[in-house]
Every structure is written in structure tokens, then in C-alpha cells.
Amino acid sequence: MSQLTQALTEVEEKLRSLLEEVNHLIPYVKALEEENIKLKRECTLPEKETERVIANAEHIQGVAHDNLERLYREGFHVCHLHFGQPLEGDCLFCMGFLRKD
């Protein structure tokens, strides 16, 4: 057997081995694709529900921001550095935090 024939035989054996691995993986890939489709269906909220959740989150953020502004006006820090401590004049950190919307 010549070197070329031997090399071709080795390539053929490697290809068979790879084809066997691919055929072995196909059922797993199909199962994962089906599970992915199922999970996407389960996780998808109806548009109306999504709008309701977004509106509720925006409302909560607005209420929280209003509460922090009220605390600051009442004389307490709302910045992470001194949260809840009494104010002694204006705090640039608090003011900067309250300007974020």
C-alpha cells in the first residue's frame, strides 16, 4: 500500500468517525431546539401584560423618586455616601442623584 493510499484511508476513517459523532449529536440538537421553542413560548408575555408591567415599573420609580426628594427637603441625605444622615447645607451628591431621571 502506497503512502498516498494509506493517507486517503486514514482521511476516510477520520471522516467516518466524524460522521458518526455528528449522527450521535443530531438527536441532542433536535431536543435542545424543541426545548428552546417551548421555553420561548413560556417566557413570552402578551403585549398587554408587558405594557402593564412597564407602566407599573415607571409608576414605582416615580413614587420612589418623589419619596427621596421629600426626604431631602426634610433635611436628610439621599446619596449613597451619607444616606439617612441629617443634612448640613446642600449636598452635591444628593442633588446630582435627584437630577437623574
Side-chain angles (χ1 to χ4, degrees):
M1 185 179 266
S2 71
Q3 286 183 340
L4 182 58
T5 305
Q6 186 176 354
L8 286 174
T9 303
E10 288 175 12
V11 168
E12 184 180 24
E13 288 173 10
K14 288 179 183 178
L15 285 173
R16 279 192 193 125
S17 175
L18 285 173
L19 184 58
E20 188 177 309
E21 283 184 51
V22 168
N23 286 332
H24 183 71
L25 291 174
I26 287 174
Y28 295 110
V29 171
K30 287 181 180 179
L32 288 173
E33 287 174 341
E34 290 171 7
E35 183 179 3
N36 190 28
I37 290 168
K38 178 185 167 200
L39 290 172
K40 281 182 180 179
R41 275 192 221 126
E42 289 175 3
C43 292
T44 304
L45 288 175
E47 187 174 335
K48 195 170 190 175
E49 182 69 12
T50 301
E51 291 171 2
R52 186 187 68 76
V53 169
I54 290 171
N56 189 41
E58 289 171 350
H59 171 73
I60 290 170
Q61 286 176 336
V63 169
H65 191 269
D66 292 345
N67 287 338
L68 290 173
E69 283 181 343
R70 181 180 49 77
L71 285 171
Y72 185 73
R73 283 193 309 271
E74 290 176 2
F76 296 97
H77 282 276
V78 294
C79 65
H80 71 284
L81 297 173
H82 306 288
F83 186 81
Q85 295 178 10
L87 274 170
E88 295 176 15
D90 289 330
C91 173
L92 293 176
F93 293 112
C94 290
M95 292 177 0
F97 177 73
L98 291 173
R99 275 183 248 190
K100 292 182 190 175
D101 282 314

